[in-house]
Amino acid sequence: MKTFKIHASALILDFGHFLFEFGSFIPKPLKYLCIVQKQEPKKTIQMKKLKSTFIVWIAIYPAITGILLLFGEYLNHLPLLIRTLILTLVLVPLMVYFLIPFWTKVFSKVK
């Protein structure tokens, strides 16, 4: 039986042989397509998490500060639960749809 391997950017496709990848064992002959995802190095994953953390922080800190600066005296008269509800109703969509995509695009240009 012939073995065909196709190397894609993140996948190894293997037909017809034993497959020892990340401790998995798939017996011969394979009658189906096996897809095994390559693992990224630990350092790369840690850098992506650090970059994501920084992007979220750099987006949320000025947003919270600006909202509190502009509307803080009005919000201070409200109970804590209502104040928190109003802040999250404004900040979550602002973060998800505008700030995070903007800063992600900015930092994707920086290597």
Side-chain angles (χ1 to χ4, degrees), residues 1-20:
M1 181 178 278
K2 289 185 178 180
T3 299
F4 302 96
K5 286 189 179 183
I6 303 167
H7 292 278
S9 61
L11 300 174
I12 298 174
L13 307 177
D14 191 338
F15 301 93
H17 263 15
F18 290 102
L19 182 63
F20 294 94

Side-chain angles (χ1 to χ4, degrees), residues 24-100:
S24 66
F25 170 79
I26 301 173
K28 180 181 172 182
L30 289 177
K31 298 198 181 205
Y32 52 89
L33 172 67
C34 295
I35 300 175
V36 178
Q37 189 171 0
K38 287 185 179 179
Q39 290 182 337
E40 293 185 49
K42 210 173 200 180
K43 191 173 185 178
T44 305
I45 294 170
Q46 289 174 343
M47 289 304 294
K48 284 183 178 182
K49 285 183 181 181
L50 183 63
K51 185 177 178 181
S52 297
T53 303
F54 182 71
I55 287 172
V56 169
W57 180 80
I58 203 165
I60 202 162
Y61 181 77
I64 291 173
T65 305
I67 288 174
L68 291 177
L69 182 67
L70 294 173
F71 304 107
E73 67 182 61
Y74 303 111
L75 292 172
N76 284 336
H77 300 294
L78 298 173
L80 178 63
L81 294 176
I82 302 298
R83 196 176 352 164
T84 307
L85 177 66
I86 291 170
L87 281 174
T88 56
L89 284 173
V90 172
L91 284 172
V92 171
L94 184 68
M95 292 287 293
V96 170
Y97 293 109
F98 299 105
L99 296 176
I100 296 293

